Amino acid sequence: MDKRVLAYLEQYVGKNNLLTTLEKRFSYTYDASPLKLAVADLPGVVVFPENTEQVSKVLRLANEKKIPVIVRGAGTNVSGGALSIEDCIVLCLNRMNRIIELDQKNSLAIVEPGVINGELQREAAKLGLFYPPDPQSSEFSTIGGNVAENAGGPRCVKYGVTRDYILGLEVVLPNGDIINTGAKTIKNVTGYDLTRLFVGSEGTLGVITKIILKLIPKPEATKLALAVFPTMEAAADTVARISASGIVPAMMEFLDNIYIRNIEEYAHVGFPKDAGAVLILAVDGDEEILDKSLQRIAEICRAAGAMQIQVAHTTKENNELMRARQAAFASMSRLNPTIIGEDFTVPRSNIPKMVAKIQEIAQKHGVIIATVGHAGDGNLHATFSCDERNEDEMKRVEAAIDDLVDATLALDGVISGEHGIGRFKAKYMEKQFDPAQLALMKSIKNLFDPNNILNPGVMFKE
């Protein structure tokens, strides 16, 4: 990095908010994706702004010098959206981590991007309020990253994704200008909806520095149940049946036999290791109606072939089931050193076909693919267990992912339900969108960021 640029950055944010040594810069070359960087992709500097004005000054300088800027939160991105490129500025927003306001009367919160999702949920709950988006990384991922990726989680089946809870944003544009979108109001139809444009834009259009979030009343109670099935097909069919019944569970999570065995051996939660698949189901709301809702769901499960249904009767039993689901991804590390989690999403009625297709593709390419997912919204995480040191295996994994993309699109699905595109899936955008749509998206990017300094290579290949 040019020494004059480093001097300006130190002047803007202070010496203690810059990382310049080789070993510290190297620590910011990764995220949670399987992508590996070349040595040349080392960032030139890592910057930790503490307020919006500092972000503005950094971007104004970067735009003038045409220096790439990679925006980063906790680094939990699994699609390669936070990876550095050669001599870039990594703009790390972790130190902008204040909950500025919790407004009980208007049921909203105003936060900085570095606030941890789980922390916000707990603070809102103290006021009887509820922030539903809960990605599996909620205990360490930031709200800013969640907004940039439009993150989801198990509760999306009933409550929707992050976008549904964003009322307004403060954003610094690539040229350093600061804008405010949206408002504190629930209803707002004034002008184009720029707020929704920034949500899910993966840091390619601007840097989000403040977020107005909608909160809702906290449900009175939540009850969970575990339904055990002899086959994956029966469990997948049950998801479609429950969805068609008119009942809206708060959570409907699918785990196949590979996950069941690994979770049980890892976390010892009492899962039946010989089951073909299980569903972890939750209902929430007024306590009086929960038993009736669970009873109806249990009837549907039995009609679809469930061998066993266990209802959690205590908070401890609820927590045990949630612990089992949260241990899923970590448990896969017992098999092989490399885990690649995809997040293809199909219409719920096509879940049985997609589950079968995943197994067919795994057998075709001789790879291990376990399936876990937020089945209630059609979001299946096909999880590859492999070894990145085995070149032949990784080629077969790549071919299997290509086939999964084709299978997903053939079933009217999308290539990402909640992980985003990043660098990992940018090459598949041409399969998802026609040339006219891609050209329109690229023209929007060019309008906001004509010098292409913000997260270049993310979402689009160039």
Side-chain angles (χ1 to χ4, degrees), residues 303-352:
M307 303 184 297
Q308 183 183 355
I309 298 169
Q310 302 171 10
V311 177
H313 295 288
T314 65
T315 301
K316 182 181 178 183
E317 290 173 351
N318 268 356
N319 292 341
E320 278 293 291
L321 281 177
M322 284 305 299
R323 186 169 72 89
R325 173 61 184 90
Q326 289 164 348
F329 210 57
S331 74
M332 288 298 291
S333 61
R334 301 176 66 260
L335 288 183
N336 284 300
T338 306
I339 302 170
I340 301 174
E342 287 292 348
D343 77 321
F344 304 113
T345 304
V346 297
R348 288 177 297 203
S349 59
N350 281 336
I351 288 176

Side-chain angles (χ1 to χ4, degrees), residues 92-333:
C92 211
L93 301 174
N94 302 54
R95 295 180 187 176
M96 296 177 66
N97 57 2
R98 293 180 304 146
I99 296 177
I100 299 169
E101 182 180 356
L102 273 171
D103 184 343
Q104 191 174 20
K105 286 185 177 177
N106 290 302
S107 298
L108 60 84
I110 301 177
V111 305
E112 291 184 325
V115 170
I116 300 297
N117 179 307
E119 180 188 350
L120 172 66
Q121 291 192 43
R122 285 186 286 276
E123 290 302 314
K126 291 177 183 175
L127 300 177
L129 297 172
F130 184 42
Y131 178 65
D134 64 333
Q136 292 298 305
S137 59
S138 61
E139 285 305 318
F140 40 92
S141 65
T142 62
I143 295 293
N146 293 171
V147 175
E149 298 297 321
N150 192 18
R155 294 197 285 245
C156 292
V157 58
K158 180 174 182 178
Y159 292 103
V161 295
T162 299
R163 177 178 284 127
D164 300 312
Y165 296 87
I166 308 301
L167 297 176
L169 299 169
E170 178 186 78
V171 181
V172 183
L173 300 178
N175 65 2
D177 287 352
I178 301 169
I179 65 169
N180 287 279
T181 73
K184 289 184 175 181
T185 57
I186 296 296
K187 296 175 74 174
N188 180 4
V189 296
T190 313
Y192 293 128
D193 193 343
L194 294 179
T195 304
R196 286 198 163 226
L197 181 59
F198 283 109
V199 177
S201 64
E202 304 191 27
T204 61
L205 303 180
V207 177
I208 296 166
T209 50
K210 200 176 293 178
I211 305 151
I212 306 173
L213 298 157
K214 179 179 74 174
L215 306 174
I216 63 175
K218 191 174 185 297
E220 182 178 299
T222 301
K223 279 198 171 184
L224 277 77
L226 176 73
V228 182
F229 295 87
T231 64
M232 289 193 298
E233 291 75 14
D237 179 53
T238 302
V239 172
R241 292 189 188 203
I242 292 174
S243 300
S245 73
I247 300 173
V248 184
M251 186 173 79
M252 191 153 47
E253 298 291 288
F254 175 99
L255 298 103
D256 73 359
N257 178 262
I258 300 175
Y259 265 110
I260 291 169
R261 284 187 282 111
N262 278 285
I263 290 172
E264 183 55 29
E265 290 169 10
Y266 172 76
H268 310 294
V269 291
F271 273 6
K273 294 199 297 186
D274 59 342
V278 299
L279 292 176
I280 299 176
L281 301 142
V283 291
D284 66 4
D286 292 342
E287 195 161 7
E288 293 179 359
I289 65 170
L290 297 188
D291 286 338
K292 184 178 179 182
S293 297
L294 269 185
Q295 185 179 355
R296 177 68 183 125
I297 288 174
E299 290 170 359
I300 295 172
C301 290
R302 290 192 188 94
M307 303 184 297
Q308 183 183 355
I309 298 169
Q310 302 171 10
V311 177
H313 295 288
T314 65
T315 301
K316 182 181 178 183
E317 290 173 351
N318 268 356
N319 292 341
E320 278 293 291
L321 281 177
M322 284 305 299
R323 186 169 72 89
R325 173 61 184 90
Q326 289 164 348
F329 210 57
S331 74
M332 288 298 291
S333 61

